[in-house]
Amino acid sequence: MPEKVFSLTGLSFRFPEEEEKTLTDLSFSVLRGERLVLTGPSGCGKSTLLYLLNRLYPDNCDGLVDGEMELFGKPANDYVPGEINHRIATVFQDPDSQFCMPTVEEELAFTLENLQTPFAQMEPRITAVLERTGLAQLRNTIIQSLSGGTKQRVATACALIMDPEVLLLDEPLSHLDPFTAKQFVHWLEELQQASNLTIVAVEHRLDIWGSFFGREIQLGCDGRITADQNFTPRHPFTFLKRPSAAQPATALCAKELSVTIKDKPLLAPLAFSVRRGEVVIIAGPNGSGKSTLIKSLCGIFEKTTGTVESDRIGYVPQSPEYLFLTQSVQQEVAFSGASTQTELDGLMASLRLEEIREAHPFAVSHGQKRRVAIAAMLADKRPVLLMDEPTSGQDAAALLELFDLIDQRSKEGASFLIVTHDMEFAAGVADSLLLIKDGKMTGKFQAYEVWCNEELLAMHHLLAPKGVARPAESFA
Amino acid sequence: MLKSWKLKEAVLMSLFAVVFGIVYLLFVHVSNIWAAVIGPLAYEWMFGIWFIVSIICMYIIRKPGAAFLSETMAATIEVLIGNAVGPRLILSGVIQGLGAEAVFALTRYQHFNILVLMLAGIGSAVFSFVYGYFVSGYAALDPSFVALMFTIRVLSGAIIAGIGGKYIGDALLATGSLRGYAIARAKKGDVNA
Amino acid sequence: MHDMNPSVKFIVITASMLVIAFFFNPWTPLIFWLGIILLQLTMSRTKWKLWLLFMLPFSIGAFGYLWTTIVFGAETGGAIIWSFAGIDVTEEQWARALSLAFRVMAFSTLSLLFAFTTDPVRFIMSLMQQLKLPPKLAYGVMVGYQFLPVMKDEFTQIQQAQRLRGAETKKYSWQQLLSMRRILIPMLAGAVRKAERSAFAMEARGFTGEPRSAFYHPIQIDRTDWLMSGIFLILLLTSCIGGSWLG
């Protein structure tokens, strides 16, 4: 019988600001070498549980704990701060806020200094972990210049340099595109097999993990365990293909559009048009000019050449709160003054904003923020909507909500241009795909043309959506 | 003193300092142009933007040292990002921070109403002025001109830093992002507001 | 200069400024100013074009200082050397005005010397290693420094997004200051989030804020530091004594 790494008995947890318990009566143990995933709807306390396991909580939030928790057979409270963290290492979800030093080497050294490692051992340990993780060539690279996927690898290397017995993963894929995410999982699997680490992860994008996990614990909305079972690989969440709502009338027509900033050509001249009610997905590798295209269409970036003839264009950034100017949802929607009260009431009703009418636009959920932003754009009579990465970091429920929103609005004549890497989502929602690579438009295609064109997909770092006109492939 | 501080609070002060550092840089360009015309007076009105970091941080974190440490960190970061005023900025940061901290200490860190915040802004203004009087040689100037500078700086401290600090702190609280900080708990009545 | 210990350099430079602030004759800051330029010319690798660009606003500021000190200067005795538009300028006033203007120039040059020859990361690490700055603060500052480009970018993005919605840019500074709130709130809310995430990431890697026992990049104080401090001291003494004597 392998040793128990974690052992929880009747564990409950409550934030001091809240009346309700976030976690209620959890009892389970984790054995050495297990690969466990915690699942459940957003806000069910998965991450909170993870933070209890690595002792970030309760100290950091003054939370209230009931019940017993043992780490390596010793009560959790008997460990002094920091003592447990080199045995239980953690990789978090946001690749941009996990580092405090400029270069990879310095970041690794920071970790070793935390552990009071003697000077003579530092250099060999850094070299060893870089070898092990295959990051040796990045040793002196500036971390902030790396891509999201590579940053997550560096964060993992920083965790592994401590020689931990357990690795906790807090939605490590949520900010990566599917292509990069799949590579990351593959890389992690090789590392895990070589070292027999115990892994506990919180994750909602289970399909990308293939058969990585061995066990699954499901939490319900009330913070109780609803299932503790063997893990079964998941198929990605697929969306029903919505019928096209495109009308004959043209909503947007770009000709010879190009953007050059500070003598750097970001976008070579391109031309395309979009019909009313059409949903266009803009896809391509990172840094290929997708955001530049969107920003030049809505006038944030100046066009160097070309013309855009269009109905008025609205823009919803990846963080919708960047748009917010007022202190209540209602004022936010009414801000432009371009719609009558009846029109506003209609919009509020159809976008389900009435119950949060008085709320602060920053204090509502991410999905609600996006609805507020879209309502504000429509109220400002901007029926062509540009959305920058709306799918990034969203769980299935949120994606479904987004899907319905687009479906609904396009039926009423709004056109959408959406930047996303999520091809399952695209397969459901798109009428057409606009593919970009290295600042050049490859072309605007009918969606079904792209799904069966291997070459086109690979060239733009896209994974074919599962379940669309092709047999489901096994996990590589 | 630092024992009771959470790391996230220290990092918060640092990131706030970065935000206001960016804002400050915007306005310093404007004032540089005026400086040729009206001399050191050009900078006086902006001092409040400097002091605001310490006031907001104290208003949110409410622990001894919040005003002093945040102002010092703000100055250090300003030096790191290449502010040409350089190392002496850190010293001014320390002194301005002490000015605000002194006011909060006098209230024993129990009261954070608008009056106290304005007084803290004035505290920073007075401390920084005394320091500036010495280092920049205001002694050579006509007393009435010095008095004018002093008045503008005190007003800037009270209005921009004091009132502005409370305004921004409250606006931020309304967004619901300050859960887990002293200010959010105070609103629920656990601590004196 | 580049190899000098940043903390030692910081202390030497700050101390020099405080000493110079005691002198109101024009010669002391002038000699000191020229001395600093000489030091930088001979002992640093400076990009002088950039240096001139940075010096420009300071020179303008110094000029502003010069004339305000003349016009609004404290009443002093002494012979009137020239009159202009009804303002009598005494010898004493002129000397003081020059002194303050040179002081601005000397301090600015000194600051630029520091800025041009000091690596920001080494400076913080040295503050922690030599001056015992608590690690919680030192690494807090480091996180802020790492986030600077990200947040600058965020600032522009928010500005652009809000302009699209018709939040017009205001003409006067005071109006800009008021409309700052709209940009500040999303920025600060984002900062709160980033602060918590970064702090958690650091603590999850065993950071407790305790002083560290060993450093991967130890920053030492060596012969160069003593030598350079000596040179600064000589320059400081020369300008103080020489200045007083000439004045």
Side-chain angles (χ1 to χ4, degrees), chain C residues 16 19 30 34 36 41 46 63 159 175-176 183 209 214 222:
Chain C
S16 310
V19 172
L30 178 64
L34 296 174
I36 296 297
L41 270 172
T46 305
F63 177 75
Q159 239 180 352
Q175 284 175 319
Q176 275 179 16
I183 299 185
D222 56 20

Side-chain angles (χ1 to χ4, degrees), chain B residues 145-162:
Chain B
F145 185 75
V146 174
L148 178 66
M149 283 169 68
F150 182 70
T151 315
I152 297 180
R153 191 177 299 190
V154 166
L155 283 178
S156 170
I159 296 169
I160 298 187

Side-chain angles (χ1 to χ4, degrees), chain B residues 5-181:
Chain B
W5 279 69
K6 290 173 188 150
L7 180 63
K8 66 172 186 179
E9 292 166 334
V11 179
L12 182 82
M13 294 196 301
S14 160
L15 293 192
F16 274 25
V18 173
V19 174
F20 284 99
I22 295 172
V23 174
Y24 184 75
L25 279 180
L26 278 186
F27 287 97
V28 92
H29 289 307
V30 184
S31 299
N32 271 338
I33 302 164
W34 289 3
V37 191
I38 54 173
L41 262 187
Y43 299 105
E44 289 304 325
W45 73 273
M46 318 177 29
F47 267 85
I49 308 180
W50 256 139
F51 307 152
I52 204 169
V53 177
S54 58
I55 302 215
I56 293 180
C57 286
M58 180 57 96
Y59 189 47
I60 291 174
I61 299 173
R62 308 192 173 182
K63 283 185 181 169
F68 165 67
L69 292 174
S70 57
E71 196 66 59
T72 310
M73 283 170 93
T76 313
I77 284 180
E78 200 70 14
V79 173
L80 292 190
I81 65 183
N83 185 308
V85 180
R88 76 189 138 135
L89 208 60
I90 297 184
L91 204 58
S92 5
V94 168
I95 285 162
Q96 292 165 6
L98 280 176
E101 190 73 41
V103 172
F104 289 117
L106 281 178
T107 67
R108 296 177 186 204
Y109 304 99
Q110 292 296 316
H111 301 283
F112 299 92
N113 55 35
I114 184 83
L115 193 70
V116 175
L117 297 188
M118 283 174 76
L119 279 174
I122 293 172
S124 286
V126 172
F127 272 56
S128 76
F129 197 84
V130 171
Y131 167 74
Y133 189 88
F134 169 66
V135 172
S136 305
Y138 298 159
L141 298 167
D142 186 67
S144 60
F145 185 75
V146 174
L148 178 66
M149 283 169 68
F150 182 70
T151 315
I152 297 180
R153 191 177 299 190
V154 166
L155 283 178
S156 170
I159 296 169
I160 298 187
I163 300 181
K166 179 163 169 59
Y167 176 62
I168 289 177
D170 286 338
L172 195 58
L173 182 66
T175 67
S177 45
L178 290 177
R179 209 179 81 158
Y181 291 91

Side-chain angles (χ1 to χ4, degrees), chain A residues 51 56-57 60 81-82 85 90 92 94 96-102 105-107 109-111 113-114 116-117 119 122-123 126 139 144 158 162 295 298 300-301 315 321-325 327 332 335 362 376-377 382, chain C residues 121 125 128 139 142-143 145-147 149-150 154 157-162 164-167 181-182 185-186 189-190 193-194 196-208 210-218:
Chain A
Y51 295 168
L56 285 175
Y57 285 173
N60 259 306
N85 293 102
T90 315
F92 295 86
D94 184 359
D96 293 324
S97 45
Q98 293 192 50
F99 305 104
C100 61
M101 299 296 284
E105 180 187 43
E106 286 167 307
E107 189 68 37
F110 164 78
T111 313
E113 287 168 8
N114 290 339
Q116 316 281 8
T117 311
F119 179 73
M122 287 190 189
E123 148 66 34
I126 291 176
R139 185 171 187 141
Q144 298 298 341
C158 288
M162 301 189 283
K295 286 186 176 169
C298 67
I300 286 176
F301 287 167
Y315 166 63
E321 64 248 44
Y322 286 2
L323 291 171
F324 297 159
L325 300 166
Q327 315 213 35
E332 202 59 49
F335 181 79
F362 278 82
M377 288 298 159
R382 296 168 182 269
Chain C
V121 178
M125 292 298 124
M128 186 168 56
Y139 286 102
M142 284 305 300
V143 173
Y145 181 64
Q146 301 309 320
F147 268 121
V150 180
E154 217 173 278
Q157 284 195 26
I158 295 174
Q159 239 180 352
Q160 291 168 339
Q162 298 190 341
L164 186 88
R165 293 204 58 197
R181 195 217 84 196
R182 289 177 170 165
I185 296 306
R193 224 168 19 229
K194 291 188 183 86
E196 179 163 300
R197 288 181 184 168
S198 307
F200 278 12
M202 287 160 76
E203 287 181 343
R205 287 200 257 128
F207 183 81
T208 53
E210 294 297 313
R212 1 205 79 203
S213 57
F215 289 94
Y216 184 58
H217 285 303

Side-chain angles (χ1 to χ4, degrees), chain A residues 251 274-279 383-386 409-410 413-417:
Chain A
V274 177
R275 289 182 293 158
R276 293 219 172 111
E278 186 177 348
V279 178
V384 177
L385 290 166
L386 312 180
R409 302 317 316 172
S410 65
S415 312
F416 285 87
L417 283 96

